[in-house]
Amino acid sequence: MINSQSIILKTVILFSMAILAGALPQQCNKPDAEKIMLAQAMKAGPAPGETCVLVQHCFRGPDDPTMEQSKCPNGADPTHINNPEISYFTPTKLKRKDSQDAFKLICPFMDQSGDLCCNDDQVEIMNSVFGKDCSICAANLKRMWCDYTCHPQKTKFVQATGYQMDPDDGNLTLTNFTVDPDYACTITDYEHSLIDNIHSCDELVPTNGIFDNYIDCQNCTCAYCDKACKPPEVSADIGFFDGFNKELVGISYGVLIGFTIIFQLIRHFCLKRKLQAEKVSDSDQSDSLLNQKMRKESDNDLILETNDYNQRLQNQRNKDD
Ligand SMILES: *[C@@H]1O[C@H](CO)[C@@H](O)[C@H](O)[C@H]1NC(C)=O
Ligand SMILES: *[C@@H]1O[C@H](CO)[C@@H](O)[C@H](O)[C@H]1NC(C)=O
Ligand SMILES: *[C@@H]1O[C@H](CO)[C@@H](O)[C@H](O)[C@H]1NC(C)=O
């Protein structure tokens, strides 16, 4: 989204949120002014008509082209810009055509050819911060930064309160930025959108991408906008086949049944043939067994007969004796 930290880096803002009488209950916490370190108060106030405060420039060397001539020579990112300087002045028009064209895209609800409290460098600084991004949330923030930087009646809601040296961020300009409480809360809390030109992040961007006069806008994705995450429709009914993977189970059973059928068929035909073969050999075998048995029996008979004969012979001999 927006790299607004880079702007905040050079500018500490105090949100004061007590403008609307009978303000509705607020969900977001009021920023603690005590946390902002002591600032050197600005002594000189604005002269009549000086409705602008805070001016910012990008770094330009003595040999570099001036702001009226061309863009920032080294870019307008946070490493190539001064911190905002506290001074009061009357609104002026943008000097260059390319700045006006850029401004029309960044702040489409403001008149790019009218008097403004920002200069060409500041338009370029805003452009480098915003880039091409325009989600619905970005549109809300852009609107706020456009007013904060360029509104021709800026002193009505922006007060410069001094400078402060920060060990990490260096020279900071302290400002007191007064915003409508609903506006402040809707920027951080989209649930409570009460102002017409502040948009809820689940609003639909028309297919042509033009949203609140901004071009190239996209619908907010679920990742950035909780409200865009519609819960899936879940039925509480539990059916008999719920959680049943019909395809997988069907395939498993199909394979099992097919395999069983094939196995039984193979078994049936092979066994039949085997049984037949066995029957044949069995009858052969039983025949021979029978013969053997019969032979054996006849042998026995023979032996018996022989024994009988021997016995009789013996008896006869005994008799003879
Ligand atoms: C901080 O910046 C302002 C404006 O650029 C300048 O007037 C002031 O002297 C600076 N303060 C320090 C301590 O550098
Ligand atoms: C900021 O402005 C509000 C309202 O005008 C005022 O009450 C508050 O004291 C100011 N804070 C500072 C640090 O100047
Ligand atoms: C935003 O979503 C709506 C509804 O899904 C769709 O009709 C529209 O084209 C989308 N807008 C963009 C810019 O994709």
Side-chain angles (χ1 to χ4, degrees):
M1 245 201 46
I2 288 184
N3 183 10
S4 51
Q5 270 180 325
S6 48
I7 284 186
I8 294 169
L9 195 79
K10 291 273 176 180
T11 316
V12 178
I13 298 156
L14 293 180
F15 287 88
S16 106
M17 302 183 193
I19 296 300
L20 279 195
L24 287 139
Q26 295 306 317
Q27 298 293 317
C28 63
N29 294 324
K30 186 178 170 181
D32 190 2
E34 304 299 320
K35 283 186 181 163
I36 310 295
M37 287 173 276
L38 275 178
Q40 189 190 349
M42 186 68 191
K43 296 288 191 303
E50 289 184 337
T51 53
C52 299
V53 62
L54 299 173
V55 64
Q56 198 169 15
H57 292 101
C58 59
F59 294 145
R60 286 176 195 270
D63 300 330
D64 289 330
T66 61
M67 186 173 73
E68 285 76 10
Q69 288 168 336
S70 78
K71 291 179 141 196
C72 299
N74 304 305
D77 59 90
T79 58
H80 293 105
I81 53 176
N82 285 313
N83 62 319
E85 197 178 316
I86 299 169
S87 73
Y88 294 94
F89 54 97
T90 51
T92 52
K93 295 184 193 331
L94 292 173
K95 305 273 189 295
R96 304 195 316 265
K97 176 78 169 63
D98 64 303
S99 307
Q100 290 188 7
D101 293 344
F103 184 76
K104 195 180 178 182
L105 296 178
I106 303 167
C107 308
F109 56 94
M110 287 171 116
D111 178 10
Q112 81 273 11
S113 54
D115 288 333
L116 297 166
C117 283
C118 53
N119 58 39
D120 298 62
D121 275 3
Q122 283 171 291
V123 171
E124 198 179 336
I125 290 164
M126 281 204 291
N127 209 8
S128 79
V129 170
F130 288 142
K132 291 227 175 291
D133 178 50
C134 172
S135 70
I136 298 169
C137 325
N140 290 338
L141 280 173
K142 282 182 180 185
R143 196 172 258 279
M144 190 190 83
W145 280 109
C146 286
D147 283 338
Y148 175 76
T149 313
C150 300
H151 197 286
Q153 299 289 319
K154 194 166 155 174
T155 46
K156 284 184 175 168
F157 55 92
V158 179
Q159 289 102 44
T161 54
Y163 300 107
Q164 174 195 306
M165 279 308 290
D166 184 272
D168 296 323
D169 297 326
N171 192 353
L172 300 175
T173 307
L174 304 178
T175 64
N176 196 350
F177 180 26
T178 306
V179 290
D180 182 281
D182 291 334
Y183 189 102
C185 283
T186 44
I187 285 171
T188 52
D189 181 1
Y190 295 105
E191 296 288 330
H192 300 85
S193 186
L194 300 167
I195 299 175
D196 282 350
N197 57 14
I198 295 293
H199 304 285
S200 175
C201 61
D202 64 341
E203 280 179 41
L204 291 180
V205 175
T207 310
N208 62 11
I210 296 174
F211 185 83
D212 196 16
N213 294 325
Y214 284 100
I215 60 164
D216 290 339
C217 294
Q218 296 292 324
N219 287 317
C220 274
T221 65
C222 196
Y224 291 105
C225 175
D226 284 350
K227 280 179 88 179
C229 302
K230 296 278 178 280
E233 282 179 26
V234 179
S235 165
D237 299 331
I238 298 170
F240 184 73
F241 285 109
D242 279 359
F244 192 79
N245 189 338
K246 294 185 184 91
E247 199 176 320
L248 195 67
V249 173
I251 289 170
S252 306
Y253 271 83
V255 168
L256 196 69
I257 290 167
F259 181 76
T260 309
I261 289 169
I262 290 165
F263 178 75
Q264 289 298 337
L265 285 174
I266 290 170
R267 194 163 166 262
H268 179 74
F269 285 113
C270 290
L271 215 69
K272 206 176 173 185
R273 215 167 292 156
K274 206 178 158 195
L275 273 173
Q276 278 172 349
E278 258 176 24
K279 233 181 208 166
V280 170
S281 67
D282 261 16
S283 52
D284 284 356
Q285 224 175 1
S286 53
D287 278 0
S288 58
L289 269 174
L290 198 65
N291 289 347
Q292 266 181 17
K293 208 174 166 193
M294 277 163 70
R295 229 177 287 132
K296 234 184 194 160
E297 272 170 9
S298 55
D299 281 357
N300 286 352
D301 284 354
L302 209 68
I303 291 165
L304 270 175
E305 268 169 37
T306 333
N307 283 351
D308 267 5
Y309 174 77
N310 286 346
Q311 187 72 43
R312 255 184 275 138
L313 200 68
Q314 189 72 38
N315 287 349
Q316 194 67 45
R317 266 192 207 142
N318 289 346
K319 258 185 197 169
D320 288 351
D321 288 342

